[in-house]
């Protein structure tokens, strides 16, 4: 097989979700090739295996897809299944890996990070269950990337990604598939499309912001064509390789226009947005933002109303920084609640083992055992299904939820692109003091427990430690602090603030007011300003 000599790059350590770097780094000769070969060397797929390849359509997507196809041909794969135009949303790629019983898949995305020549790019390897490779595989990929000295690549012309059907690159069959069809069919199995269609026909109005990213074609097909929402329901629905110059992150900062529309007097009944690769979601009702943590809790409480979940849930899993709202639902349903480190890859084993049905993260991710990735449109459809059955508004549903379970006020403060030294010093400083914190009072808050989160996967007994500091106060409030594993510049500090009010407590406070004592406590405990050299967070979500 044709081999090219190469030398290692020292910076190919996958983060929370694959390898994410600036496009210009990925454009260096041999850079993507080294990483892809490291993946192939580690996974040792049998000859003739199937590989799914797709991306979120961002700048540089097609270049790397062609490279990956030539390399798959030279590494003995028998078939590559690729989305037309090189496009597959991350949940659709996960679905295809499972449906086609592929050995694995390469997903080309930097998710919610900006795109374009000056933006970000990424490569993630997903295993045969459709989920992100677990840490033992990503660690091995990094180790291999540190010593790589050759990669295999066919000298072949580009594949025509625009034409559906089969083509060949040497012995490799390349199958270009419609990106939306299989995914839309799966959604029809899980949800009561008739009920949602009837609700929309009855005057229920919704708005979906695809943020110029990958969910545009999926949302047009599902929401407008299949569910009958009027044209114009999907906004920013044509994918662009630079996301229209915007930041495709569905939060209150980057989806501001949608937020303002939903807060207006004549707002639609329901608003939602998804990110660059279609796995995140933002949920809004008229006059109300539902935090991702609350969304997970509300969806878990009512999931049985959708046909795909009528048998009930086996368990709920949430990442550690996600609020404890879902824990209260799990307790009431008397099902398992798993607290895992940040990163969807930690949910895969629980889902495979039937220990959880629904998973969620504060970072705008929710999903279930239908695939092994979080899934933005899935969350939107489950919300719509629940609203269609219950015939109440989003605001009414959340108010009722809080009256049943209590309310968890929640916010995440991000300090982006700060100096690595300051970030490391902050984390080291608080880790050193953890043992001394219990019993300490900060304002009106008393520390009950403080630790550096470690998780032992119950299915393979592998422990992941150093996953973020938790400071828990009497009464159920918490501060969590960790460094992001998805940024591409400097360090990003995330401070997660959470205050619990019981069902008979104050359920109608403004989030900022409710969390003010925790903001002050975080500054007192962590000296955020001096370590970050910032007076305030860059993004509050
Ligand atoms: C990725 C992971 C998520 C994680 C998020 C934020 O999401 O898949 O599990 O919660 O990053 O991670 P961090 O806090 O380390 O930046 P995505 O949508 O970027 O793939």
């Amino acid at each position: 097989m044709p081999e090219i000599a190469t030398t290692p790059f020292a910076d190919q350590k996958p983060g929370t979700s694959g390898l994410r770097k600036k496009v210009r780094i990925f454009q260096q000769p041999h850079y993507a090739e080294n990483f892809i070969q490291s993946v192939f060397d580690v996974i040792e797929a049998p000859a003739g295996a199937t590989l799914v390849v797709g991306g979120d359509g961002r700048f540089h997507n097609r270049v790397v897809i062609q490279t990956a196809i030539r390399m798959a041909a030279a590494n003995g794969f028998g078939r590559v299944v690729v989305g037309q135009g090189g496009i597959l949303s991350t949940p659709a790629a996960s679905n295809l890996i499972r449906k086609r019983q592929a050995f694995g898949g390469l997903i080309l995305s930097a998710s919610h990070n900006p795109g374009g020549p000056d933006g970000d790019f990424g490569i993630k390897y997903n295993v045969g269950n459709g989920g992100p490779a677990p840490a033992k595989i990503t660690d091995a990929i990094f180790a291999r990337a540190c010593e790589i000295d050759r990669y295999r690549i066919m000298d072949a012309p580009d594949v025509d990604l625009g034409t559906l059907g089969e083509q060949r690159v040497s012995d490799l069959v390349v199958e270009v598939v419609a990106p939306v069809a299989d995914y839309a069919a799966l959604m029809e199995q899980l949800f009561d499309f008739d009920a949602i269609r009837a609700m929309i026909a009855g005057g229920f109005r919704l708005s979906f912001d695809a943020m110029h990213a990958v969910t545009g074609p999926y949302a047009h097909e599902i929401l407008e064509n299949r569910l009958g929402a009027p044209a114009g329901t999907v906004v920013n629905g044509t994918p662009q390789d630079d996301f229209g110059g915007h930041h495709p992150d569905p939060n209150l900062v980057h989806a501001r226009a949608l937020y303002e529309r939903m807060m207006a007097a004549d707002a639609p009944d329901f608003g939602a947005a998804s990110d660059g690769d279609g796995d995140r979601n933002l949920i809004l009702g008229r006059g109300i933002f539902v935090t991702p943590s609350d969304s997970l809790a509300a969806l878990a409480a009512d999931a049985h109303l959708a046909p795909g979940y009528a048998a009930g849930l086996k368990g709920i899993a949430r990442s550690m920084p996600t609020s404890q709202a879902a824990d209260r639902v799990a307790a009431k349903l008397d099902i398992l609640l798993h607290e895992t480190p940040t990163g969807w890859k930690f949910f895969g084993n629980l889902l495979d083992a039937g220990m959880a049905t629904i998973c969620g993260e504060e970072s705008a991710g929710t999903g279930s055992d239908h695939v092994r990735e979080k899934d933005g449109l899935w969350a939107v459809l489950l919300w719509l299904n629940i609203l269609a059955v219950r015939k109440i508004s989003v605001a009414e549903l959340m108010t009722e939820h809080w009256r049943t379970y209590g309310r968890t006020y929640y916010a995440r403060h991000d300090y982006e692109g700060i100096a690595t030294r300051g970030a490391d010093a902050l984390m080291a400083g608080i880790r050193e003091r953890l043992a001394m914190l219990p019993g300490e009072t900060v304002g009106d808050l008393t520390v009950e427990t403080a630790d550096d989160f470690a998780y032992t996967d119950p299915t393979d007994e592998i422990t992941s430690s150093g996953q973020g500091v938790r400071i828990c106060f009497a009464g159920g409030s918490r501060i969590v602090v960790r460094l992001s594993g998805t940024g591409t510049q400097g360090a990003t500090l995330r401070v997660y603030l959470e205050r619990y009010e019981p069902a008979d407590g104050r359920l109608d406070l403004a989030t900022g007011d409710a969390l003010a004592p925790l903001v002050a406590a975080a500054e007192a405990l962590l000296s955020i300003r001096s370590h970050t050299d910032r007076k305030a967070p860059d993004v509050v979500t």
Side-chain angles (χ1 to χ4, degrees), residues 120-280:
D120 292 350
F121 193 75
I123 304 181
K124 180 167 76 157
Y125 177 67
N126 279 30
V127 295
N129 75 354
K136 62 176 185 240
I137 295 184
T138 54
D139 289 349
I141 292 169
F142 178 50
R144 179 68 195 136
C146 290
E147 58 184 28
I148 194 160
D149 58 2
R150 57 95 189 96
Y151 59 84
R152 298 194 192 101
I153 188 161
M154 271 309 164
D155 185 11
D158 278 0
V159 163
D160 173 9
L161 293 172
T163 306
L164 295 176
E166 293 186 354
Q167 303 165 50
R168 285 191 97 86
V169 176
S170 183
D171 291 339
L172 175 78
V173 177
V174 179
E175 183 184 346
V176 180
V177 298
V180 180
D182 288 330
Y183 177 82
L186 175 64
M187 293 302 114
E188 293 223 32
Q189 279 168 29
L190 296 174
F191 302 114
D192 186 346
F193 271 42
D194 288 340
I196 302 174
R197 205 178 290 117
M199 176 174 75
I200 291 172
F204 181 94
R205 291 188 301 136
L206 66 152
S207 181
F208 180 86
D209 188 345
M211 304 191 88
H212 305 286
V214 78
T215 45
Y218 294 84
H220 277 301
E221 173 60 23
I222 294 172
L223 300 178
E224 294 181 356
N225 296 347
R226 299 197 186 194
L227 290 171
T233 295
V234 178
V235 297
N236 302 321
T238 305
Q240 295 180 23
D241 70 359
D242 66 348
F243 308 116
H246 299 291
H247 203 124
D249 193 353
N251 61 28
L252 300 185
V253 177
H254 298 297
R256 192 76 202 166
L258 175 70
Y259 175 75
E260 275 164 12
R261 184 150 183 243
M262 294 304 300
M263 296 304 126
D266 62 345
D269 298 282
F270 185 82
S274 191
D275 69 332
D277 61 331
D279 57 3
R280 297 184 172 209

Side-chain angles (χ1 to χ4, degrees), residues 16-17 20 111-112 275 279-280 342-344 361-363 374 482 484-486 494 496:
T16 307
S17 186
R20 285 189 194 163
S111 188
H112 54 290
D275 69 332
D279 57 3
R280 297 184 172 209
T342 293
W344 205 263
E361 294 189 285
E362 51 65 39
S363 57
K374 55 189 184 273
R482 60 180 280 280
S484 158
T486 56
R494 303 205 194 283
Y496 311 81

